[in-house]
């Protein structure tokens, strides 16, 4: 049976910018960065497989996918619009100290749409990546 989640996918507007954001600002590591050629089954004109992940979680990868990956151009355009609006790509990033992470990430240029606040489940701040995907930065409290 299923034993774990290994990958999640976020559509991004520019893979190079996203790679810089996730590694340079969030501190993730590049796990895979390869281009599959047009001869790759199902790739059509080819695509770039770019994954990153938190250093302390080596078995988990975030796929930073071009909006065109696996889609026709009309659908890719619709996905781009939704990503830019922040309508796709919600996630939760865990931290042991939300306020400290907020200060450090803000200093690196990460844009927050909500400062740290106490919630029933912990302390949370909300940020957006360079494409428009938003994330809850959460410190669990018990």
């Amino acid at each position: 049976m299923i034993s774990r989640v290994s990958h999640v996918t976020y559509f991004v507007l520019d893979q190079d910018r996203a790679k810089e954001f996730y590694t340079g600002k969030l501190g993730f590591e590049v796990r895979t960065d390869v281009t599959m050629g047009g001869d790759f089954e199902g790739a059509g004109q080819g695509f770039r497989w770019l994954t990153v992940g938190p250093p302390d979680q080596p078995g988990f990868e975030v796929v930073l996918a071009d909006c065109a990956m696996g889609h026709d151009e009309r659908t890719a355009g619709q996905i781009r619009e939704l990503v830019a609006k922040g309508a796709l790509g919600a996630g939760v990033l865990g931290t042991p100290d939300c306020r400290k992470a907020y200060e450090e990430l803000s200093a690196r240029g990460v844009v927050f749409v909500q400062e740290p606040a106490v919630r029933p489940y912990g302390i949370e701040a909300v940020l957006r990546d360079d494409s428009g995907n938003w994330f809850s930065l959460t410190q669990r409290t018990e």
Side-chain angles (χ1 to χ4, degrees):
M1 292 307 305
I2 298 168
S3 62
R4 65 186 178 93
V5 174
S6 66
H7 292 70
V8 296
T9 300
Y10 292 108
F11 287 108
V12 296
L13 302 179
D14 180 292
Q15 286 180 301
D16 288 325
R17 272 193 3 234
K19 180 179 176 181
E20 176 55 34
F21 178 86
Y22 282 83
T23 59
K25 293 188 178 184
L26 297 186
F28 285 19
E29 301 172 331
V30 173
R31 301 281 164 78
T32 308
D33 190 354
V34 297
T35 300
M36 309 286 190
D39 57 341
F40 184 76
E41 184 178 334
Q45 297 178 357
F47 69 93
R48 181 178 180 189
W49 182 256
L50 173 61
T51 69
V52 297
D56 293 338
Q57 204 172 3
F60 180 71
E61 298 183 51
V62 176
V63 180
L64 301 175
D66 184 286
C67 297
M69 187 171 89
H71 300 100
D72 60 64
E73 189 49 44
R74 180 173 177 265
T75 303
Q78 293 170 327
I79 293 170
R80 281 185 202 96
E81 288 179 23
L82 291 169
V83 169
K85 286 181 184 179
L88 296 177
V92 178
L93 305 172
T95 181
D97 188 333
C98 185
R99 290 180 178 94
K100 181 178 178 185
Y102 171 83
E103 294 299 327
E104 290 175 0
L105 293 173
S106 293
R108 293 181 193 171
V110 174
V111 175
F112 282 83
V113 296
Q114 177 190 306
E115 294 181 1
V118 176
R119 304 283 184 233
Y121 46 84
I123 301 169
E124 175 191 53
V126 178
L127 66 98
R128 290 185 73 175
D129 73 6
D130 66 312
S131 292
N133 298 304
W134 65 271
F135 297 89
S136 166
L137 177 64
T138 302
Q139 172 188 342
R140 299 286 300 208
T141 55
E142 309 252 354

